[in-house]
């Protein structure tokens, strides 16, 4: 029986009980953090060997002295590993520094200031720029397009990817210049796009000739099991469909080795890469090739990456299992929340009673449990239903995670009871 179906007496009794539990929670003076999907110390330790690499060998396999300037595309050693891992041609993969978000910002900034290689004019000269944003989605993505003043148009997510009926209609507008995506184990839903959706995105007819899809494969190998999802070669799909320049394909080692000091990757069509390098060559003289070589030596090959990611899964999977178990035991009988059950990635997406997400986050904060702000998974942080909350189980130890999630469940129930009593 749903909490929302309780009669007045049942609701009053339940509210008194859950308020008492909440007061007990506050009295514990907790200080717990579930805000961001950071790797735990245990996970970071898996890659500590990279700190002593490349040792005395500074030369890449093609003879490049990695200590010196140059090499705008990155060294072939790491590019070959990532091309194999993602099923892409190595000649279409560039290796850069640290975060793929940096490259994503550059792609938007250069298109805005100068136009991309298919643009009739720089985007800053357009009357209006619109960008499609599957929701719930990645807050850092939305922050970039917000920064440039784009009108961000929400697109509902389905179990197979973004709602293609919606996308199909929206791209008829020439002001729609692109779309954010996290196609594998999406942030925060954990949804992986089907091959059918990938192929349709590659082939769909758009009014804007310079329409781009930011294909952020941040979690391509971030499984919670021993199995890895297929990574579709959308570059080939797009070329077959006559739209070779459609995808800007990103990836990185940020949650594989050490966050902030890894290697980023940009893959795209030959024409797109030439455009990118033209501007990147002005911005800088080349990436950190020593770090790229260290990572290539750490991994050895694509299977070496998978071996490392299975270690990550061994650390993460028990945490996700505990979160899901607590949500089920504390909330299922009351019908006040629904949540994803991801097989990979870093997040669990929870939908609570409409109009209560912000209240849940407030209650949790007052009890010493930090959650990502309600609405963060939507453009401009505005969830029209005030229902979505993103959980990040990766950082805390299991013992702290259990306490935090039991507390979050109490907050969800209290907020739902308050709403029902209105």
């Amino acid at each position: 029986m749903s909490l929302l179906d309780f009669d007045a007496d049942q609701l009053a009794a339940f509210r008194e009980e859950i308020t008492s539990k909440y007061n007990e929670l506050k009295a514990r003076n907790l200080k717990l953090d579930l805000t961001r999907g950071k790797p735990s110390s245990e996970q970071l330790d898996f890659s500590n060997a990279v700190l002593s690499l490349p040792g005395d060998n500074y030369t890449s396999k093609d003879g490049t002295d990695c200590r010196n300037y140059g090499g705008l595309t990155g060294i072939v050693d790491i590019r070959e590993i990532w091309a194999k891992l993602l099923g892409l041609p190595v000649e279409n993969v560039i290796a850069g520094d640290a975060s793929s978000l940096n490259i994503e910002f550059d792609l938007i900034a250069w298109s805005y200031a100068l136009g991309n290689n298919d643009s009739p004019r720089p985007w800053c000269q357009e009357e209006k720029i619109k960008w499609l944003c599957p929701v719930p989605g990645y807050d850092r993505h939305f922050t970039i397009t917000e920064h440039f003043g784009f009108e961000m148009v929400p697109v509902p997510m389905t179990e197979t990817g973004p709602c293609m009926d919606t996308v199909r209609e929206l791209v008829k507008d020439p002001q729609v210049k692109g779309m954010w995506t996290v196609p594998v184990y999406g942030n925060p839903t954990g949804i992986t796009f089907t091959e059918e959706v990938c192929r349709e995105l590659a082939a769909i007819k758009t009014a804007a000739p310079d329409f781009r899809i930011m294909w952020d494969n941040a979690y391509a190998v971030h499984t919670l099991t021993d199995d890895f999802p297929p990574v579709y070669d959308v570059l080939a799909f797009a070329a077959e469909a006559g739209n070779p320049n459609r995808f800007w394909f990103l990836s990185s080692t940020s949650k594989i080795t050490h966050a902030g000091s890894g290697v980023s990757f940009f893959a795209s069509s030959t024409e797109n890469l030439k455009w990118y390098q033209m501007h990147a060559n002005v911005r800088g003289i080349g990436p950190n090739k020593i770090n790229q070589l260290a990572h290539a030596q750490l991994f050895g090959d694509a299977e070496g990456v998978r071996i490392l990611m299975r270690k990550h899964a061994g650390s993460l999977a028990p945490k996700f299992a505990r979160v899901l178990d607590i949500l089920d035991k504390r909330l299922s009988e009351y019908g006040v929340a629904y949540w994803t059950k991801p097989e990979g990635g870093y997040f669990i997406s929870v939908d609570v009673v409409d109009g209560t997400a912000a209240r849940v986050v407030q209650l949790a904060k007052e009890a010493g449990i930090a959650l990502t702000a309600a609405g963060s998974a939507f453009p401009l942080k505005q969830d029209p239903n005030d229902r979505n909350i993103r959980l990040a189980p990766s950082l805390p130890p299991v013992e702290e995670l259990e306490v935090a999630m039991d507390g979050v469940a109490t907050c969800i129930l209290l907020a739902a009871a308050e709403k029902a009593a209105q």
Side-chain angles (χ1 to χ4, degrees):
M1 182 178 183
S2 170
L3 175 66
L4 303 181
D5 295 326
F6 281 15
D7 62 30
D9 290 340
Q10 290 174 312
L11 184 59
F14 180 84
R15 188 174 178 182
E16 181 179 354
E17 177 186 354
I18 204 66
T19 298
S20 176
K21 287 185 178 180
Y22 178 71
N23 289 334
E24 291 173 5
L25 179 69
K26 287 179 68 176
R28 298 177 68 175
N29 295 315
L30 300 174
K31 192 175 181 180
L32 304 173
D33 191 340
L34 297 179
T35 56
R36 299 216 66 87
K38 294 180 180 179
S40 66
S41 296
E42 178 187 36
Q43 291 176 264
L44 296 173
D45 286 345
F46 295 153
S47 298
N48 279 348
V50 78
L51 300 174
S52 60
L53 297 171
D56 295 330
N57 177 11
Y58 306 120
T59 305
S60 68
K61 66 191 303 181
D62 65 359
T64 298
D65 185 338
C66 294
R67 298 171 297 176
N68 219 326
Y69 288 120
L72 189 63
T73 62
I75 63 171
V76 70
D77 310 52
I78 194 69
R79 290 168 55 223
E80 284 182 344
I81 292 173
W82 233 252
K84 179 72 171 178
L85 196 67
L86 300 179
L88 300 172
V90 67
E91 59 269 20
N92 290 104
V93 179
I94 288 176
D97 291 326
S99 171
S100 53
L101 273 171
N102 295 355
I103 298 177
E104 292 166 25
F105 184 92
D106 285 346
L107 293 167
I108 296 291
W110 297 342
S111 295
Y112 185 78
L114 305 162
N116 66 48
N117 42 301
D118 288 321
S119 297
R121 64 192 68 84
W123 289 0
C124 63
Q125 295 178 12
E126 299 286 355
E127 179 181 355
K128 180 181 287 188
I129 305 167
K130 299 178 182 178
W131 199 268
L132 305 187
C133 300
V135 292
Y138 182 23
D139 55 340
R140 297 295 304 225
H141 281 169
F142 302 155
T143 299
I144 293 176
T145 36
E146 178 184 355
H147 189 70
F148 285 91
F150 294 8
E151 179 183 326
M152 294 179 285
V153 184
V155 174
M157 283 292 292
T158 74
E159 293 182 358
T160 59
C163 175
M164 290 310 298
D165 288 340
T166 303
V167 173
R168 209 176 294 117
E169 190 63 30
L170 289 171
V171 296
K172 294 177 182 178
D173 182 351
Q175 293 180 330
V176 174
K177 292 293 188 179
M179 179 179 182
W180 290 115
T181 63
V182 182
V184 176
Y185 300 141
N187 176 355
T189 61
I191 289 170
T192 297
F193 294 10
T194 63
E195 181 177 355
E196 181 181 4
V197 166
C198 293
R199 287 189 178 276
E200 184 167 3
L201 288 170
I204 196 169
K205 182 176 176 57
T206 66
D210 50 353
F211 179 87
R212 294 291 185 266
I213 297 177
M214 196 77 78
W215 198 252
D216 188 356
N217 238 320
Y219 306 105
V221 293
H222 293 69
T223 182
L224 292 171
T225 70
D226 287 333
D227 299 319
F228 294 89
V231 178
Y232 297 112
D233 184 355
V234 291
L235 305 185
F237 292 174
E240 292 167 7
N243 302 308
N245 299 336
R246 173 149 297 171
F247 289 96
W248 289 332
F249 190 128
L250 287 304
S251 182
S252 80
T253 68
S254 290
K255 288 187 175 73
I256 296 175
T257 55
H258 293 163
S261 59
V263 181
S264 60
F265 301 92
F266 175 46
S268 201
S269 67
T270 299
E271 186 177 336
N272 282 355
L273 294 182
K274 287 180 179 177
W275 169 81
Y276 173 82
Q277 291 176 79
M278 176 178 64
H279 297 303
N281 194 41
V282 177
R283 183 197 59 189
I285 304 174
N288 183 340
K289 298 184 294 299
I290 287 290
N291 191 41
Q292 292 183 2
L293 184 61
H295 277 74
Q297 291 178 1
L298 176 73
F299 297 136
D301 54 23
E303 184 55 30
V305 179
R306 297 187 188 99
I307 290 171
L308 178 57
M309 295 314 297
R310 291 187 182 101
K311 291 182 180 180
H312 281 276
S315 176
L316 285 170
K319 295 182 179 182
F320 275 74
R322 283 302 292 134
V323 170
L324 295 173
D325 183 54
I326 291 169
L327 289 173
D328 183 49
K329 288 182 177 178
R330 290 292 314 278
L331 302 178
S332 286
E333 65 179 297
Y334 298 109
V336 295
Y338 302 91
W339 50 90
T340 57
K341 299 178 181 179
E343 295 182 356
Y346 262 68
F347 305 98
I348 295 170
S349 181
V350 181
D351 284 344
V352 296
V353 173
D354 282 10
T356 67
R359 177 60 174 157
V360 170
V361 173
Q362 177 190 2
L363 288 168
K365 180 180 179 180
E366 292 173 0
I369 303 169
L371 298 176
T372 304
S376 291
F378 291 76
L380 304 177
K381 297 180 172 57
Q382 295 178 2
D383 176 357
N385 298 298
D386 187 24
R387 70 159 70 120
N388 185 255
I389 295 171
R390 186 184 76 175
L391 300 178
S394 57
L395 185 62
V398 172
E399 298 76 17
E400 290 185 10
L401 186 63
E402 290 174 341
V403 173
M405 281 310 307
D406 189 63
V408 169
T410 296
C411 295
I412 291 172
L413 289 169
L414 179 55
E418 292 175 347
K419 184 71 172 180
Q422 290 177 359

